[in-house]
Amino acid sequence: MLTEFFNVLSHPVRIQLLKILSTQQSCVCGEVLDVGTFSQATILGHLRELKRVGLVQGELEGAQRCYQLNLEALQQFKRMVNTL
């Protein structure tokens, strides 16, 4: 699992998305996320990868999927890194 986290976190856009989500108090819809000059499809693809490993959670709100950090998964990642 640790290698999956590192693999997903190896992309700078994903790190940037995590930083953006960490500053939000509530769920953020993918269309709202502004990460440079990347297309919405690119951003949503990166969010899917972060969600796949559990670092981000996605919920349906109406017709949109909204995202937030999964703090439990981030704590799990920290614990795994600390055991290295």
Coordinates of all heavy atoms in Angstrom, one line a residue:
M1 N 0.8 -1.2 0.0 CA 0.0 0.0 0.0 C 0.9 1.3 0.0 O 0.5 2.2 -0.6 CB -0.9 0.0 1.2 CG -1.9 1.1 1.3 SD -3.1 0.9 -0.1 CE -4.0 2.4 0.2
L2 N 2.0 1.2 0.7 CA 2.9 2.4 0.8 C 3.4 2.8 -0.6 O 3.4 3.9 -1.0 CB 4.0 2.1 1.7 CG 4.9 3.3 2.0 CD1 4.1 4.5 2.6 CD2 6.0 2.9 3.0
T3 N 3.7 1.8 -1.4 CA 4.2 2.0 -2.8 C 3.1 2.7 -3.6 O 3.4 3.6 -4.5 CB 4.7 0.8 -3.5 OG1 3.7 -0.2 -3.5 CG2 6.0 0.3 -2.8
E4 N 1.8 2.3 -3.4 CA 0.7 2.9 -4.1 C 0.6 4.4 -3.8 O 0.4 5.2 -4.6 CB -0.6 2.2 -3.8 CG -0.8 0.9 -4.5 CD -1.0 1.1 -6.0 OE1 -1.8 1.9 -6.4 OE2 -0.3 0.4 -6.8
F5 N 0.7 4.7 -2.5 CA 0.7 6.1 -2.0 C 1.8 6.9 -2.7 O 1.6 8.0 -3.3 CB 0.9 6.2 -0.5 CG -0.4 6.0 0.3 CD1 -0.4 5.1 1.4 CD2 -1.6 6.6 0.0 CE1 -1.5 4.9 2.1 CE2 -2.7 6.3 0.7 CZ -2.7 5.5 1.8
F6 N 3.0 6.4 -2.7 CA 4.1 7.1 -3.3 C 4.0 7.2 -4.8 O 4.3 8.3 -5.3 CB 5.5 6.4 -2.9 CG 6.0 6.7 -1.6 CD1 6.3 5.6 -0.7 CD2 6.2 8.0 -1.1 CE1 6.8 5.9 0.6 CE2 6.7 8.3 0.1 CZ 7.0 7.2 1.0
N7 N 3.5 6.2 -5.4 CA 3.2 6.3 -6.9 C 2.3 7.4 -7.2 O 2.5 8.2 -8.1 CB 2.8 4.9 -7.4 CG 2.6 4.9 -8.9 OD1 3.5 5.5 -9.6 ND2 1.6 4.3 -9.4
V8 N 1.2 7.5 -6.5 CA 0.1 8.5 -6.7 C 0.7 9.9 -6.4 O 0.4 10.8 -7.1 CB -1.2 8.2 -6.0 CG1 -2.1 9.3 -6.0 CG2 -1.8 7.0 -6.6
L9 N 1.4 10.0 -5.3 CA 2.0 11.3 -4.9 C 3.2 11.7 -5.7 O 3.6 12.8 -5.5 CB 2.3 11.2 -3.4 CG 1.1 11.0 -2.5 CD1 1.6 10.8 -1.0 CD2 0.2 12.2 -2.6
S10 N 3.6 10.9 -6.6 CA 4.8 11.3 -7.4 C 4.5 12.4 -8.5 O 5.4 12.9 -9.1 CB 5.4 10.1 -8.1 OG 4.5 9.6 -9.1
H11 N 3.2 12.7 -8.7 CA 2.8 13.7 -9.7 C 2.6 15.0 -9.0 O 1.8 15.1 -8.1 CB 1.6 13.2 -10.4 CG 1.4 13.9 -11.7 ND1 1.0 15.2 -11.8 CD2 1.5 13.5 -13.0 CE1 0.9 15.6 -13.1 NE2 1.2 14.5 -13.8
P12 N 3.2 16.1 -9.5 CA 3.1 17.4 -8.9 C 1.7 18.0 -8.9 O 1.3 18.7 -7.9 CB 4.0 18.3 -9.7 CG 4.5 17.5 -10.9 CD 4.2 16.1 -10.6
V13 N 0.9 17.7 -9.9 CA -0.5 18.2 -9.9 C -1.3 17.5 -8.7 O -2.1 18.2 -8.1 CB -1.2 17.9 -11.2 CG1 -2.7 18.2 -11.2 CG2 -0.5 18.7 -12.3
R14 N -1.1 16.3 -8.4 CA -1.8 15.6 -7.3 C -1.4 16.2 -6.0 O -2.3 16.4 -5.1 CB -1.5 14.1 -7.4 CG -2.1 13.5 -8.6 CD -1.9 12.0 -8.7 NE -2.2 11.5 -10.0 CZ -1.6 10.6 -10.7 NH1 -0.6 9.9 -10.1 NH2 -2.0 10.2 -11.9
I15 N -0.1 16.6 -5.8 CA 0.3 17.2 -4.6 C -0.4 18.6 -4.5 O -0.9 19.0 -3.4 CB 1.8 17.4 -4.6 CG1 2.6 16.1 -4.6 CG2 2.3 18.3 -3.4 CD1 2.4 15.3 -3.4
Q16 N -0.5 19.3 -5.6 CA -1.1 20.6 -5.6 C -2.6 20.5 -5.3 O -3.2 21.3 -4.5 CB -0.9 21.2 -7.0 CG -1.3 22.7 -7.0 CD -0.8 23.3 -8.4 OE1 -0.3 22.7 -9.2 NE2 -1.2 24.6 -8.5
L17 N -3.3 19.4 -5.8 CA -4.7 19.2 -5.5 C -4.8 18.9 -4.0 O -5.8 19.4 -3.4 CB -5.2 18.0 -6.3 CG -5.5 18.4 -7.8 CD1 -5.7 17.1 -8.5 CD2 -6.6 19.3 -7.9
L18 N -3.9 18.1 -3.4 CA -4.0 17.8 -2.0 C -3.9 19.1 -1.2 O -4.6 19.3 -0.2 CB -3.0 16.8 -1.5 CG -3.2 15.4 -2.0 CD1 -2.1 14.5 -1.6 CD2 -4.5 14.8 -1.5
K19 N -3.0 20.0 -1.6 CA -2.8 21.3 -0.9 C -4.0 22.1 -0.9 O -4.4 22.7 0.0 CB -1.6 22.0 -1.5 CG -0.2 21.4 -1.1 CD 0.9 22.2 -1.7 CE 2.2 21.7 -1.4 NZ 3.3 22.4 -2.1
I20 N -4.6 22.2 -2.1 CA -5.9 22.9 -2.3 C -7.0 22.4 -1.4 O -7.6 23.1 -0.6 CB -6.3 23.0 -3.7 CG1 -5.3 23.8 -4.6 CG2 -7.7 23.5 -3.9 CD1 -5.6 23.7 -6.1
L21 N -7.1 21.1 -1.4 CA -8.2 20.4 -0.6 C -7.9 20.6 0.9 O -8.8 20.7 1.7 CB -8.3 19.0 -1.0 CG -8.9 18.7 -2.4 CD1 -8.8 17.2 -2.7 CD2 -10.3 19.2 -2.4
S22 N -6.6 20.7 1.3 CA -6.3 20.8 2.7 C -6.7 22.2 3.3 O -6.8 22.3 4.5 CB -4.8 20.5 2.9 OG -4.1 21.6 2.5
T23 N -6.9 23.2 2.4 CA -7.3 24.5 2.9 C -8.8 24.7 2.9 O -9.2 25.7 3.4 CB -6.7 25.6 1.9 OG1 -7.2 25.5 0.6 CG2 -5.2 25.5 1.9
Q24 N -9.5 23.7 2.4 CA -11.0 23.8 2.4 C -11.6 23.3 3.6 O -11.2 22.2 4.1 CB -11.5 23.1 1.1 CG -10.9 23.6 -0.2 CD -11.1 25.1 -0.4 OE1 -12.2 25.6 -0.3 NE2 -10.1 25.8 -0.8
Q25 N -12.7 23.9 4.1 CA -13.4 23.4 5.2 C -14.5 22.4 4.9 O -15.0 21.7 5.7 CB -14.0 24.6 6.0 CG -13.0 25.6 6.5 CD -12.1 24.9 7.5 OE1 -12.5 24.2 8.4 NE2 -10.8 25.2 7.5
S26 N -14.9 22.4 3.6 CA -16.0 21.5 3.2 C -15.6 20.9 1.9 O -14.6 21.1 1.3 CB -17.3 22.3 3.0 OG -17.1 23.3 2.0
C27 N -16.5 20.1 1.4 CA -16.3 19.3 0.2 C -16.2 20.3 -1.0 O -17.0 21.3 -1.1 CB -17.5 18.4 0.0 SG -17.2 17.0 -0.9
V28 N -15.3 20.1 -2.0 CA -15.1 21.0 -3.1 C -15.4 20.2 -4.4 O -15.0 19.1 -4.6 CB -13.6 21.4 -3.1 CG1 -13.4 22.3 -4.4 CG2 -13.3 22.2 -1.9
C29 N -16.2 20.8 -5.2 CA -16.6 20.2 -6.5 C -15.4 20.3 -7.5 O -14.7 21.4 -7.5 CB -17.8 20.8 -7.1 SG -19.3 20.4 -6.1
G30 N -15.2 19.3 -8.3 CA -14.1 19.3 -9.2 C -14.0 20.4 -10.1 O -13.0 20.9 -10.5
E31 N -15.2 21.0 -10.5 CA -15.2 22.1 -11.5 C -14.7 23.4 -10.8 O -14.3 24.3 -11.5 CB -16.6 22.3 -11.9 CG -17.2 21.2 -12.8 CD -17.7 20.0 -12.0 OE1 -17.9 20.1 -10.8 OE2 -17.8 18.9 -12.6
V32 N -14.6 23.4 -9.5 CA -14.2 24.6 -8.8 C -12.7 24.6 -8.7 O -12.1 25.7 -8.6 CB -14.8 24.7 -7.4 CG1 -14.3 25.8 -6.6 CG2 -16.3 24.7 -7.5
L33 N -12.0 23.5 -8.7 CA -10.6 23.4 -8.5 C -9.8 24.0 -9.7 O -10.0 23.6 -10.9 CB -10.2 22.0 -8.3 CG -10.7 21.3 -7.0 CD1 -10.4 19.9 -7.0 CD2 -10.1 22.0 -5.8
D34 N -9.0 25.0 -9.4 CA -8.2 25.6 -10.5 C -6.7 25.3 -10.2 O -6.1 25.8 -9.3 CB -8.4 27.1 -10.4 CG -7.7 27.9 -11.5 OD1 -7.3 27.3 -12.5 OD2 -7.4 29.1 -11.3
V35 N -6.2 24.5 -11.1 CA -4.8 24.1 -10.9 C -4.1 24.4 -12.2 O -4.0 23.6 -13.1 CB -4.7 22.5 -10.6 CG1 -3.3 22.2 -10.4 CG2 -5.5 22.2 -9.4
G36 N -3.6 25.6 -12.3 CA -2.9 26.1 -13.5 C -3.7 26.0 -14.8 O -4.9 26.4 -14.8
T37 N -3.1 25.6 -15.8 CA -3.7 25.6 -17.1 C -4.2 24.2 -17.6 O -4.4 24.0 -18.7 CB -2.7 26.1 -18.2 OG1 -1.6 25.2 -18.2 CG2 -2.2 27.5 -17.9
F38 N -4.4 23.4 -16.6 CA -4.8 22.0 -16.9 C -6.3 22.0 -17.2 O -7.1 22.7 -16.6 CB -4.5 21.1 -15.8 CG -3.0 21.0 -15.5 CD1 -2.5 21.7 -14.5 CD2 -2.2 20.2 -16.3 CE1 -1.1 21.6 -14.2 CE2 -0.9 20.1 -16.0 CZ -0.3 20.9 -15.0
S39 N -6.7 21.1 -18.1 CA -8.1 20.9 -18.4 C -8.9 20.3 -17.3 O -8.3 19.6 -16.4 CB -8.3 20.0 -19.7 OG -8.0 18.7 -19.4
Q40 N -10.2 20.5 -17.3 CA -11.0 19.9 -16.2 C -10.9 18.4 -16.3 O -10.9 17.7 -15.2 CB -12.5 20.3 -16.5 CG -13.3 20.2 -15.2 CD -12.8 21.0 -14.0 OE1 -12.4 22.1 -14.2 NE2 -12.9 20.4 -12.9
A41 N -10.8 17.8 -17.5 CA -10.7 16.3 -17.6 C -9.4 15.9 -16.9 O -9.4 14.8 -16.2 CB -10.7 15.9 -19.0
T42 N -8.3 16.6 -17.1 CA -7.0 16.2 -16.5 C -7.1 16.3 -14.9 O -6.7 15.4 -14.2 CB -5.9 17.2 -17.0 OG1 -5.8 17.0 -18.4 CG2 -4.6 16.9 -16.3
I43 N -7.7 17.4 -14.4 CA -7.9 17.5 -13.0 C -8.8 16.4 -12.4 O -8.4 15.8 -11.4 CB -8.5 18.9 -12.6 CG1 -7.7 20.0 -13.1 CG2 -8.8 19.0 -11.2 CD1 -6.3 20.0 -12.6
L44 N -9.9 16.1 -13.1 CA -10.7 15.0 -12.6 C -10.0 13.7 -12.6 O -10.2 12.8 -11.8 CB -12.0 15.0 -13.4 CG -12.9 16.2 -13.2 CD1 -14.1 16.2 -14.1 CD2 -13.4 16.3 -11.7
G45 N -9.2 13.5 -13.6 CA -8.4 12.2 -13.7 C -7.4 12.1 -12.5 O -7.3 11.0 -11.9
H46 N -6.8 13.2 -12.2 CA -5.9 13.2 -11.0 C -6.7 13.0 -9.7 O -6.2 12.2 -8.8 CB -5.1 14.5 -10.9 CG -4.0 14.5 -12.0 ND1 -3.0 13.6 -12.1 CD2 -3.8 15.4 -13.0 CE1 -2.2 13.9 -13.1 NE2 -2.7 15.0 -13.6
L47 N -7.9 13.6 -9.6 CA -8.7 13.4 -8.4 C -9.1 11.9 -8.3 O -9.2 11.3 -7.2 CB -9.9 14.3 -8.5 CG -9.6 15.7 -8.1 CD1 -10.9 16.6 -8.5 CD2 -9.3 15.9 -6.7
R48 N -9.4 11.3 -9.4 CA -9.8 9.8 -9.4 C -8.6 9.0 -8.9 O -8.9 8.0 -8.1 CB -10.2 9.4 -10.8 CG -11.6 9.5 -11.1 CD -12.0 8.8 -12.4 NE -11.4 9.3 -13.6 CZ -11.7 10.3 -14.3 NH1 -12.7 11.1 -14.0 NH2 -11.0 10.6 -15.4
E49 N -7.4 9.3 -9.3 CA -6.2 8.6 -8.8 C -6.1 8.7 -7.3 O -5.8 7.8 -6.6 CB -5.0 9.0 -9.5 CG -4.8 8.4 -10.9 CD -4.8 6.8 -10.8 OE1 -3.8 6.3 -10.2 OE2 -5.7 6.2 -11.3
L50 N -6.2 10.0 -6.8 CA -6.1 10.2 -5.4 C -7.2 9.5 -4.6 O -7.0 9.0 -3.5 CB -6.2 11.7 -5.1 CG -5.0 12.5 -5.5 CD1 -5.3 14.0 -5.5 CD2 -3.8 12.2 -4.7
K51 N -8.4 9.4 -5.2 CA -9.5 8.7 -4.6 C -9.3 7.2 -4.6 O -9.6 6.5 -3.7 CB -10.8 9.1 -5.4 CG -12.0 8.5 -4.7 CD -13.3 8.9 -5.4 CE -14.5 8.3 -4.7 NZ -15.6 8.0 -5.5
R52 N -8.7 6.7 -5.7 CA -8.4 5.3 -5.8 C -7.6 4.7 -4.7 O -7.8 3.6 -4.1 CB -7.7 5.0 -7.1 CG -7.4 3.5 -7.4 CD -6.8 3.3 -8.7 NE -5.5 4.0 -8.8 CZ -4.3 3.5 -8.3 NH1 -4.3 2.3 -7.7 NH2 -3.2 4.1 -8.4
V53 N -6.6 5.5 -4.2 CA -5.8 5.1 -3.1 C -6.3 5.5 -1.7 O -5.7 5.2 -0.7 CB -4.3 5.5 -3.2 CG1 -3.7 4.9 -4.5 CG2 -4.1 7.0 -3.2
G54 N -7.4 6.3 -1.8 CA -8.1 6.6 -0.5 C -7.7 7.9 0.1 O -8.2 8.3 1.1
L55 N -6.8 8.7 -0.5 CA -6.4 10.0 0.0 C -7.5 11.0 -0.1 O -7.5 12.0 0.7 CB -5.1 10.4 -0.6 CG -3.9 9.6 -0.3 CD1 -2.7 10.0 -1.2 CD2 -3.5 9.6 1.2
V56 N -8.4 10.8 -1.0 CA -9.5 11.8 -1.3 C -10.8 11.0 -1.3 O -10.8 9.9 -1.7 CB -9.2 12.5 -2.6 CG1 -10.5 13.3 -3.0 CG2 -8.0 13.5 -2.5
Q57 N -11.8 11.6 -0.7 CA -13.1 11.0 -0.8 C -14.0 11.9 -1.7 O -13.8 13.1 -1.8 CB -13.8 11.1 0.6 CG -13.0 10.3 1.6 CD -13.6 10.5 3.0 OE1 -13.9 11.6 3.4 NE2 -13.7 9.4 3.8
G58 N -14.9 11.2 -2.4 CA -15.8 11.9 -3.3 C -17.2 11.6 -3.0 O -17.5 10.4 -2.7
E59 N -18.1 12.6 -3.0 CA -19.5 12.4 -2.7 C -20.3 13.1 -3.8 O -19.9 14.1 -4.4 CB -19.9 13.1 -1.4 CG -19.1 12.7 -0.2 CD -19.4 13.5 1.0 OE1 -20.2 14.5 0.9 OE2 -18.9 13.2 2.1
L60 N -21.4 12.5 -4.1 CA -22.3 13.1 -5.1 C -23.1 14.2 -4.4 O -23.7 13.9 -3.3 CB -23.3 12.1 -5.7 CG -22.7 11.2 -6.8 CD1 -23.7 10.2 -7.2 CD2 -22.2 12.1 -8.0
E61 N -23.1 15.4 -4.9 CA -24.0 16.5 -4.4 C -24.8 17.0 -5.6 O -24.3 17.7 -6.5 CB -23.2 17.6 -3.8 CG -22.6 17.3 -2.5 CD -22.0 18.5 -1.7 OE1 -22.2 19.6 -2.2 OE2 -21.4 18.2 -0.7
G62 N -26.0 16.5 -5.7 CA -26.8 16.8 -6.9 C -26.2 16.1 -8.1 O -26.0 14.9 -8.0
A63 N -25.9 16.8 -9.2 CA -25.3 16.2 -10.4 C -23.8 16.2 -10.3 O -23.2 15.8 -11.3 CB -25.8 16.9 -11.6
Q64 N -23.2 16.8 -9.3 CA -21.7 17.0 -9.3 C -21.1 16.1 -8.2 O -21.7 15.8 -7.2 CB -21.4 18.4 -8.9 CG -21.8 19.4 -10.0 CD -21.3 20.8 -9.6 OE1 -21.1 21.1 -8.5 NE2 -21.2 21.6 -10.6
R65 N -19.9 15.7 -8.5 CA -19.1 14.9 -7.5 C -18.2 15.9 -6.8 O -17.5 16.7 -7.4 CB -18.3 13.8 -8.1 CG -17.5 13.0 -7.1 CD -17.0 11.7 -7.6 NE -18.1 10.8 -8.1 CZ -18.7 10.0 -7.3 NH1 -18.5 10.0 -6.0 NH2 -19.6 9.2 -7.8
C66 N -18.3 15.9 -5.4 CA -17.4 16.8 -4.6 C -16.4 16.0 -3.9 O -16.6 14.9 -3.6 CB -18.3 17.6 -3.7 SG -19.5 18.7 -4.6
Y67 N -15.3 16.7 -3.6 CA -14.1 16.0 -3.1 C -13.6 16.6 -1.8 O -13.7 17.9 -1.6 CB -13.0 16.0 -4.1 CG -13.3 15.3 -5.4 CD1 -13.9 16.0 -6.4 CD2 -13.1 14.0 -5.5 CE1 -14.2 15.4 -7.6 CE2 -13.4 13.3 -6.7 CZ -14.0 14.0 -7.8 OH -14.3 13.4 -8.9
Q68 N -13.1 15.8 -0.9 CA -12.4 16.3 0.3 C -11.3 15.3 0.7 O -11.3 14.2 0.2 CB -13.4 16.5 1.4 CG -14.1 15.2 1.9 CD -15.2 15.4 2.9 OE1 -15.7 16.5 3.0 NE2 -15.5 14.4 3.6
L69 N -10.4 15.8 1.5 CA -9.3 14.9 2.0 C -9.9 13.8 2.9 O -10.9 14.1 3.6 CB -8.3 15.7 2.8 CG -7.4 16.7 2.0 CD1 -6.5 17.4 3.0 CD2 -6.7 16.0 1.0
N70 N -9.3 12.7 2.8 CA -9.6 11.6 3.7 C -8.5 11.6 4.8 O -7.4 11.1 4.6 CB -9.6 10.2 3.0 CG -10.0 9.1 3.9 OD1 -10.0 9.2 5.1 ND2 -10.2 8.0 3.3
L71 N -8.8 12.3 5.9 CA -7.9 12.5 7.0 C -7.4 11.2 7.6 O -6.2 11.1 8.0 CB -8.4 13.4 8.0 CG -8.8 14.8 7.5 CD1 -9.4 15.7 8.6 CD2 -7.5 15.5 6.9
E72 N -8.3 10.2 7.7 CA -7.9 8.9 8.2 C -6.8 8.3 7.3 O -5.8 7.7 7.8 CB -9.1 8.0 8.3 CG -8.9 6.7 9.0 CD -10.1 5.9 9.2 OE1 -11.1 6.5 9.7 OE2 -10.1 4.7 8.8
A73 N -7.0 8.3 6.0 CA -6.0 7.7 5.1 C -4.7 8.5 5.2 O -3.6 7.9 5.1 CB -6.5 7.7 3.7
L74 N -4.7 9.8 5.3 CA -3.5 10.6 5.5 C -2.7 10.2 6.7 O -1.5 10.1 6.7 CB -3.8 12.1 5.5 CG -4.2 12.7 4.1 CD1 -4.6 14.1 4.3 CD2 -3.0 12.6 3.1
Q75 N -3.5 10.0 7.8 CA -2.8 9.5 9.1 C -2.2 8.1 8.9 O -1.1 7.9 9.4 CB -3.9 9.5 10.2 CG -4.3 10.9 10.7 CD -3.1 11.7 11.2 OE1 -2.2 11.2 11.8 NE2 -3.2 13.0 10.9
Q76 N -2.9 7.3 8.2 CA -2.4 5.9 7.9 C -1.1 6.0 7.1 O -0.1 5.4 7.4 CB -3.4 5.1 7.1 CG -2.9 3.7 6.7 CD -3.9 3.0 5.8 OE1 -4.9 3.5 5.4 NE2 -3.6 1.7 5.6
F77 N -1.1 6.9 6.1 CA 0.1 7.1 5.3 C 1.3 7.6 6.2 O 2.4 7.1 6.1 CB -0.2 8.1 4.2 CG 1.0 8.6 3.4 CD1 1.7 7.6 2.6 CD2 1.5 9.9 3.4 CE1 2.8 8.0 1.8 CE2 2.6 10.2 2.7 CZ 3.3 9.3 1.9
K78 N 1.0 8.6 7.0 CA 2.0 9.1 7.9 C 2.6 8.0 8.8 O 3.8 7.9 9.0 CB 1.5 10.2 8.8 CG 1.3 11.5 8.1 CD 0.7 12.6 9.1 CE 0.4 13.9 8.5 NZ -0.1 14.8 9.4
R79 N 1.7 7.2 9.4 CA 2.2 6.1 10.2 C 3.1 5.1 9.4 O 4.1 4.7 9.9 CB 1.0 5.3 10.8 CG 0.3 6.0 11.9 CD -0.7 5.1 12.7 NE -1.7 4.6 11.8 CZ -2.9 5.2 11.6 NH1 -3.1 6.4 12.1 NH2 -3.8 4.7 10.8
M80 N 2.7 4.8 8.2 CA 3.6 3.9 7.4 C 4.9 4.5 7.1 O 5.9 3.8 7.1 CB 2.8 3.5 6.1 CG 1.7 2.6 6.3 SD 1.0 2.0 4.7 CE 0.1 3.4 4.1
V81 N 4.9 5.8 6.8 CA 6.2 6.5 6.5 C 7.1 6.5 7.7 O 8.3 6.3 7.7 CB 6.0 7.9 5.9 CG1 7.3 8.7 5.9 CG2 5.3 7.8 4.6
N82 N 6.5 6.7 8.9 CA 7.2 6.8 10.1 C 7.9 5.5 10.5 O 8.8 5.4 11.3 CB 6.4 7.3 11.3 CG 6.1 8.8 11.2 OD1 6.9 9.5 10.6 ND2 5.0 9.2 11.7
T83 N 7.4 4.4 10.0 CA 8.0 3.1 10.3 C 9.2 2.7 9.4 O 9.8 1.7 9.6 CB 6.9 1.9 10.1 OG1 6.5 1.9 8.8 CG2 5.8 2.2 11.1
L84 N 9.4 3.6 8.4 CA 10.6 3.3 7.5 C 11.9 3.5 8.2 O 12.1 4.3 9.1 CB 10.6 4.2 6.3 CG 9.4 4.0 5.3 CD1 9.5 5.1 4.2 CD2 9.4 2.7 4.7

